[in-house]
């Protein structure tokens, strides 16, 4: 299980207000600069290294959708049990969502859209890391997709907007 700490956008210094915004149905999203200061005291934006520790732990401890301990098939274990677009791909988040979230991470889709019945669903989730990419105009983020079975990492422009997932500080933590 995990604890969620909500960050009040009003608590961000006024000089940073222009760097984050609320997008209807998407929750709070930030550019890379704001993402690196938004976590509350005692918490931090995880690095790519932090994410790789989580990913490797889940794989090695059988959190893949098929309970194997090789390859990256952990998306279902990270995704919440509702809100995801339905998908028929075997092992994907959108295939039988009530079987999701065995890790307790409860990842919700980043942006939600309403269907004709007013039901909200989403197909993707993403989170910034604190890690810059080789070219300093890019930074790394991790993502899930309702049609995929893996946790993915890629880089994007620092001006792009993604949510954040803060983690609690620990002694000797590598950032």
């Amino acid at each position: 299980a995990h604890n969620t700490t909500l960050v009040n956008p009003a608590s961000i210094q006024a000089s940073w207000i222009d760097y984050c915004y609320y997008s209807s149905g998407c929750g709070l999203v930030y550019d890379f600069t704001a993402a690196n200061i938004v976590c509350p005291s005692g918490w931090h934006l995880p690095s790519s290294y932090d994410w790789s520790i989580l990913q490797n732990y889940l794989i090695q401890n059988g959190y893949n959708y098929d309970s194997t301990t090789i390859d990256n098939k952990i998306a279902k274990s990270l995704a919440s049990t509702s809100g995801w677009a339905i998908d028929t791909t075997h092992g994907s988040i959108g295939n039988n969502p009530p079987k999701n979230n065995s890790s307790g991470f409860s990842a919700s889709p980043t942006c939600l859209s309403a269907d004709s019945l007013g039901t909200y669903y989403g197909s993707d989730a993403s989170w910034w890391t604190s890690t810059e990419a080789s070219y300093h105009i890019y930074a790394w983020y991790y993502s899930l997709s309702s049609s995929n079975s893996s946790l993915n990492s890629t880089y994007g422009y620092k001006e792009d907007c993604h949510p954040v997932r803060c983690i609690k500080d620990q002694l000797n933590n590598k950032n």
Side-chain angles (χ1 to χ4, degrees):
H2 69 281
N3 294 324
T4 302
T5 300
L6 298 177
V7 178
N8 179 352
S11 69
I12 300 170
Q13 296 174 4
S15 62
W16 296 105
I17 294 296
D18 291 338
Y19 293 101
C20 62
Y21 65 91
Y22 181 83
S23 179
S24 180
C26 294
L28 290 172
V29 292
Y30 306 90
D31 72 2
F32 183 74
T33 301
N36 276 282
I37 65 163
V38 73
C39 293
S41 179
W43 296 72
H44 67 276
L45 185 65
S47 65
S48 289
Y49 175 78
D50 292 323
W51 277 98
S52 70
I53 290 172
L54 173 64
Q55 180 175 325
N56 291 332
Y57 174 85
L58 292 174
I59 293 168
Q60 293 168 1
N61 287 279
Y63 284 89
N64 282 334
Y65 74 84
D66 59 3
S67 300
T68 59
T69 56
I70 58 169
D71 298 324
N72 175 359
K73 299 180 270 187
I74 59 173
K76 284 187 80 64
S77 73
L78 293 166
S80 62
T81 58
S82 62
W84 290 92
I86 301 300
D87 188 275
T88 59
T89 305
H90 185 69
S92 70
I93 292 170
N95 186 332
N96 198 5
K99 298 273 186 185
N100 293 352
N101 202 31
S102 61
S103 71
F105 191 82
S106 299
S108 295
T110 301
C111 290
L112 301 175
S113 301
D115 64 15
S116 61
L117 300 174
T119 303
Y120 285 88
Y121 64 92
S123 56
D124 298 293
S126 61
W127 307 272
W128 277 120
T129 75
S130 61
T131 307
E132 289 185 297
S134 298
Y135 301 101
H136 295 290
I137 60 171
Y138 301 111
W140 289 93
Y141 66 91
Y142 276 73
S143 64
L144 297 173
S145 171
S146 64
S147 62
N148 201 319
S149 63
S150 61
L151 173 65
N152 300 301
S153 65
T154 190
Y155 58 87
Y157 288 105
K158 290 180 178 180
E159 293 81 21
D160 292 347
C161 290
H162 298 282
V164 299
R165 188 82 181 231
C166 302
I167 60 174
K168 196 166 193 145
D169 293 342
Q170 295 180 2
L171 294 176
N172 300 321
N173 186 29
K174 293 185 179 186
N175 282 326

